[in-house]
Amino acid sequence: MSTVGVEGALALAGLAERLGVGFVDAPVLGTKKPAQDGTLVVLAAGSDEQLDTCAPLFGAVGARTVRVGEPVEASRLKLVANAWVLAMLEGMAESLSLAEALGLDPELFLAALRGGAMDAPYVQLKGAGMIAGEFAPAFSVDGAAKDAGLILDAADTAGVRMDITGTTARRLREVAEAGHGAEDMSAVFLADRRL
């Protein structure tokens, strides 16, 4: 249930095969609060029998389970979802930084999105934290930087350009090197503000 990337999932599947045991690839979508509330989304890949056996575990941590197919496909989907999260996060940080630089109250950006088609609870939550400069960790800068690296590795292997993820990865590393690695990944905002 870890985010280990495509190569990591392949290595685990190979190890399970060598040991003669089943392998279920089941990373999750969500952070600290959804984990505490048992409302994660489980991306589960494996045989139907294996997934049926694991269903009680998935139900304990997740609000729903998406059956993906064969092992490693769940890890691939997790990277795709995390790429979207990082793109949203960096886009939000840049927009809030631009609002400030243009002399606007950045809260106006969140207010303009609130309740519209471009809004999401994640946008309001992370955006408010960025504006307040509060980065209590739900998912750390270090963890997001690790995941960004896994995404870029998979994209490189697949021959796909990931410019937004690449930029976000560089900014996450910059913020981590400035001593914010244990803070919430929304602290990427600090890199955008320095620019």
Side-chain angles (χ1 to χ4, degrees), residues 92 96 105-129 131:
M92 196 176 348
L96 292 171
D105 177 351
E107 174 55 40
L108 289 172
F109 170 64
L110 295 182
L113 296 182
R114 196 169 291 122
M118 295 181 294
D119 197 12
Y122 189 81
V123 169
Q124 295 298 325
L125 177 70
K126 295 300 185 185
I131 292 169

Side-chain angles (χ1 to χ4, degrees), residues 18-88:
R18 284 190 303 281
L19 295 174
V21 297
F23 176 65
V24 174
D25 179 24
V28 297
L29 300 179
T31 58
K32 184 178 180 179
K33 177 88 167 95
Q36 291 170 336
D37 294 345
T39 58
L40 296 168
V41 174
V42 179
L43 307 176
S47 72
D48 286 336
E49 182 181 340
Q50 291 170 326
L51 297 183
D52 289 344
T53 299
C54 293
L57 172 63
F58 299 156
V61 299
R64 64 188 178 99
T65 299
V66 177
R67 290 189 177 210
V68 179
E70 295 301 312
V72 184
E73 289 181 25
S75 285
R76 289 182 176 119
L77 181 56
K78 170 67 180 207
L79 296 180
V80 170
N82 279 5
W84 171 243
V85 169
L86 292 176
M88 239 188 343

Side-chain angles (χ1 to χ4, degrees), residues 3-8 79 143-156:
T3 302
V4 296
V6 174
E7 292 304 316
L79 296 180
K146 181 264 304 178
D147 285 0
L150 294 172
I151 294 164
L152 293 171
D153 289 345
D156 186 54

Side-chain angles (χ1 to χ4, degrees), residues 2 8 12-13 22 25 39 52 67 74 94 98 103 112 145 150 154 160 166 176-177:
S2 295
L12 291 171
D25 179 24
T39 58
D52 289 344
R67 290 189 177 210
E94 289 183 16
L98 180 61
L150 294 172
V160 176
E177 289 168 4

